[in-house]
Amino acid sequence: MALPCLAVSPASGQLTGQGMDGFYREGTRVLSRCELLVGGEEPLVVQGRLTGADRARFVGTIRRTGVRGPDPEIHMERLRSADGTEQITFRSSATRPVRLPAEIRLGTDLAELGSVAAGFPGPGLQATVHGSGLRWSGPGVHAVVSATPGPADALASAGLLRWELDLPPGACRTIELRAGLERDRGGPGVAPGRRRLPGDARIPGPRTGPVAPRPRGDRPPRPWSDARLECDDHRADALLAGSLDDLHGLLIRDPAAPADLYLAGGFPWRCGLAPAEALWAARMLLPLGTRLAAGTLRALARGQQAAPGTDFGRIPGPLKDAGPHAPPSCTGIEATLLFPVVLAEARRWGLPERQTERLLPAAERCLRWLRIVTDPPGGGPRGYVPDPVPGGPYRCETQAHAHRAALLGADLLDAFGSSDAAALRDWADDLRTRFRRDFWLDDAAGGRPAALLTADGRPVPHLASTAAALLDTGLLGGGALAPGLLDAARTDQLAGLLGRPAMASGWGLRGLGAKESGYNPFGHRSGAVRVHETALAAAGLAAAGHERPAGALIKGVLDAAESFGYRLPEMYAGEQRTADSAPVPHPAACRPAAVAAAGAVHILVALAGLRPDVPAKTVTVRPPGTTPLGALQLTGLSVAEQPFAVRISRLGTGVVETAADGLRLGS
């Protein structure tokens, strides 16, 4: 994956035209079929694996008719890049010259990614011979595949390119394919300057391909530092490296300002900007620098609602499923409440004051929306944030997001001399009082937070992973954490509930408790483990002093990551872990997914317990004393836009090894 380009195939490397197989560019399937045959047979693929987020390697052998013995003499390697380039190399270990008849069967439907992912591909299109390859045309769009060396034959009716490759002993031969996409500027038909050859044709020799895919050097640079982890548990090192590689594949330049970068939500469902997920990912990557957060904030500020009214200041976003007990929630509301939080925390990590000040008006508009929507008649008599409509419901996690936004927003406004900070803090104080009265449900087991209040004020008592938002209070000055909606006793009770088997599956935190009505281990919001929410819960539990359940969640995610080849999906089934089990993939999960990969980074960096306050020139290190993964060393972090490194011993003692000049260690 290297958005806007990506490639999907099974481990064989053959694009069969089935399911999601294909090369995609800008949301269109350029190729759905790319099948290699040698002597009329498929190679025997013995290994297929990713070598990076944007690259894959497939190794196979060729069995020739009449050759005896167990050892293959011809080896094949396919190197595939997400940008539509593929190199197929044949190597001979034979003692005599070998002639290999090779052919590649190609096809496409030029279908849109969303349609393919939903199981509605388009009909196959007829190819024409074009240059040293083939071309397919649809309304206003064309797919072109060129080959080097040019094929000996091209059969457009069958979508077939053929070669006769001569391999002397010990020699190798390579075929390179380049798939590209053309869009008409002046209407349908052949692009200007292109000549379409009719029917099947014989191509006498190699020619230059008509379309060059985007060069790999044009990929967006990583807007984060080159972080590295050395841990007693080496799987953690692999998870950090793999997650950062996945995130690089999801990077997108903002079309309105190409210097601004943000993360797409994930493949296949959210290959564009998903506001809340982009903000969550940027927030979780703040220990690696503030550039991604700044680009994401600027991109979202450009789309913020500017028309007068109750939506003024709100960031648009789609609805998302909320499980069996509630209507869908609004990701736009979540993003609006996250915006001032990410800006405030980015400033603490080292976002320059000038950049912060330029984004401050957008944050103020978000906070203004928060005050408007919670004042009668906009938010109802309770003063809670309704989600998704003015009449409710009033979700537990939405109130946590609002409370965090108010406190961190007030902290931000104070820094720039605004008089509105005191009113925000008063509003947050009042919310804490009302929340503990209205949302906490006492019972014989010690009580629990309600998942939501209905429009008429009735609490819905089921326990879900969204309650982890109550533990994520946010970073203030001097390394202090903001107060939470729950007091210490209720926080302890919630920590105990999240650590029990009904919520903790052994692979992470279930979206809905296993004893709740409507529980489904494969449910998007009714039982599946979501990496993002598990990461928030683990970090929040550790910060609140509940290190044992935090460590169990961290180990569970790491064990799951090993099973998934250190490329965590957005979610996986919440089935209970047993001695001989493995985490079960969810069929509709994004993989890679921005919040899952960023959540893995968050959960690992949280083991260092870093709390910077760059404006005050301090950084506090408070790692968990239990060190669930043993000793670790994190290098290549970024505090105050300068390299930062920290070592945590097996006893939970932190030592800063590299830091910016003038940065002091806080208490």
Side-chain angles (χ1 to χ4, degrees):
M1 200 166 203
L3 290 179
C5 303
L6 59 96
V8 184
S9 81
S12 68
Q14 300 277 49
L15 305 184
T16 65
Q18 303 297 313
M20 292 289 299
D21 283 11
F23 277 109
Y24 297 81
R25 187 180 180 91
E26 298 171 358
T28 298
R29 181 151 65 175
V30 181
L31 271 183
S32 60
R33 189 179 185 191
C34 183
E35 294 181 285
L36 171 67
L37 300 176
V38 181
E41 301 290 337
E42 291 192 28
L44 174 63
V45 175
V46 294
Q47 184 185 73
R49 67 184 185 91
L50 289 172
T51 59
D54 65 331
R55 302 175 301 281
R57 179 175 183 259
F58 308 91
V59 178
T61 61
I62 310 297
R63 173 67 66 183
R64 294 187 297 128
T65 303
V67 176
R68 297 181 179 180
D71 301 330
E73 295 180 334
I74 308 297
H75 316 135
M76 177 220 69
E77 179 187 63
R78 297 176 79 168
L79 299 177
R80 177 173 294 155
S81 296
D83 64 5
T85 304
E86 181 163 328
Q87 292 179 330
I88 305 172
T89 300
F90 302 95
R91 293 182 173 85
S92 175
S93 299
T95 57
R96 297 180 180 181
V98 172
R99 169 160 285 196
L100 284 182
E103 62 183 44
I104 299 177
R105 299 182 182 274
L106 302 165
T108 190
D109 52 8
L110 288 172
E112 293 303 308
L113 172 60
S115 297
V116 178
F120 298 103
L125 300 175
Q126 175 63 54
T128 60
V129 175
H130 186 84
S132 57
L134 298 173
R135 174 181 168 116
W136 298 261
S137 296
V141 65
H142 313 273
V144 183
V145 173
S146 62
T148 305
D153 291 283
L155 302 175
S157 60
L160 184 65
L161 303 180
R162 287 176 173 166
W163 293 261
E164 293 287 341
L165 302 176
D166 292 316
L167 274 75
C172 67
R173 295 288 184 268
T174 297
I175 298 170
E176 181 174 271
L177 300 178
R178 297 171 72 83
L181 189 70
E182 297 175 345
R183 298 191 186 274
D184 290 344
R185 294 182 180 178
V190 181
R194 306 293 185 191
R195 182 170 62 90
R196 181 177 294 165
L197 301 179
D200 297 342
R202 183 174 182 83
I203 301 175
R207 300 182 183 181
T208 302
V211 175
R214 183 181 68 173
R216 288 180 57 187
D218 189 44
R219 289 188 65 192
R222 299 189 182 212
W224 49 75
S225 60
D226 186 20
R228 296 181 182 275
L229 174 63
E230 294 182 16
C231 183
D232 283 350
D233 191 330
H234 296 301
R235 299 175 304 164
D237 309 357
L239 178 57
L240 180 65
S243 297
L244 292 176
D245 200 36
D246 272 353
L247 289 164
H248 192 200
L250 291 168
L251 269 179
I252 295 179
R253 297 183 187 273
D254 185 2
D260 289 340
L261 305 176
Y262 54 78
L263 287 165
F267 170 79
W269 308 108
R270 297 185 295 282
C271 286
L273 176 60
E277 293 178 30
L279 283 169
W280 276 118
R283 184 184 179 214
M284 290 174 164
L285 293 176
L286 282 173
L288 280 62
T290 62
R291 185 183 169 195
L292 177 65
T296 304
L297 291 167
R298 286 192 291 264
L300 291 174
R302 283 188 280 271
Q304 193 175 29
Q305 294 280 6
T310 56
D311 278 341
F312 176 80
R314 179 170 161 179
I315 295 171
L319 297 178
K320 69 177 180 182
D321 177 61
H325 300 287
S329 62
C330 180
T331 59
I333 291 175
E334 188 175 358
T336 305
L337 298 173
L338 268 174
F339 190 103
V341 169
V342 175
L343 181 59
E345 291 190 324
R347 178 175 175 267
R348 294 293 175 196
W349 281 95
L351 183 68
E353 294 290 281
R354 180 173 296 180
Q355 293 190 46
T356 305
E357 193 167 9
R358 288 174 179 170
L359 285 163
L360 187 61
E364 289 179 309
R365 290 192 289 270
C366 292
L367 295 169
R368 179 181 172 187
W369 173 87
L370 169 61
R371 296 297 307 278
I372 290 173
V373 80
T374 54
D375 283 341
R382 284 170 294 278
Y384 296 122
V385 179
D387 182 3
V389 295
Y394 305 92
R395 302 175 196 272
C396 167
E397 68 274 18
T398 304
Q399 312 319 310
H401 300 330
H403 183 255
R404 187 192 314 114
L407 289 178
L408 271 65
D411 188 54
L412 185 64
L413 295 180
D414 261 349
F416 290 91
S418 172
S419 60
D420 294 334
L424 277 171
R425 289 195 180 92
D426 289 343
W427 181 89
D429 288 344
D430 182 59
L431 178 63
R432 281 198 298 277
T433 300
R434 288 183 288 104
F435 185 92
R436 294 172 187 179
R437 179 191 67 217
D438 296 339
F439 271 83
W440 189 261
L441 306 176
D442 290 312
D443 57 31
R448 59 165 63 185
L452 58 86
L453 300 181
T454 61
D456 59 1
R458 178 176 53 86
V460 177
H462 67 271
L463 184 63
S465 59
T466 50
L470 295 170
L471 300 170
D472 175 30
T473 58
L475 180 65
L476 295 175
L481 297 178
L485 281 176
L486 300 181
D487 57 19
R490 291 182 175 95
T491 298
D492 292 348
Q493 173 66 8
L494 177 60
L497 292 172
L498 296 180
R500 291 175 187 171
M503 285 299 297
S505 71
W507 304 113
L509 197 66
R510 291 186 177 91
L512 183 66
K515 296 182 179 180
E516 306 291 336
S517 64
Y519 168 72
N520 173 2
F522 282 91
H524 272 68
R525 299 282 172 180
S526 56
V529 172
R530 306 185 74 88
V531 176
H532 160 223
E533 288 173 349
T534 301
L536 287 178
L541 286 167
H546 298 278
E547 297 179 1
R548 190 174 298 278
L553 290 177
I554 293 170
K555 290 178 181 177
V557 169
L558 185 56
D559 292 342
E562 182 181 21
S563 180
F564 287 115
Y566 303 106
R567 169 179 262 189
L568 281 165
E570 169 191 16
M571 59 185 168
Y572 40 90
E575 294 185 326
Q576 186 62 43
R577 182 175 182 173
T578 60
D580 57 351
S581 67
V584 179
H586 191 289
C590 281
R591 184 172 180 238
V595 290
V601 176
H602 183 64
I603 213 169
L604 294 172
V605 175
L607 293 173
L610 300 181
R611 301 183 190 177
D613 185 357
V614 171
K617 301 185 183 306
T618 65
V619 61
T620 301
V621 180
R622 295 181 183 175
T626 52
T627 58
L629 303 183
L632 60 91
Q633 181 184 32
L634 277 161
T635 58
L637 301 180
S638 179
V639 179
E641 304 297 285
Q642 296 295 318
F644 188 89
V646 63
R647 182 186 297 273
I648 308 300
S649 73
R650 294 184 182 92
L651 299 177
T653 303
V655 177
V656 175
E657 298 187 324
T658 304
D661 291 341
L663 199 63
R664 305 184 308 276
L665 192 63
S667 57

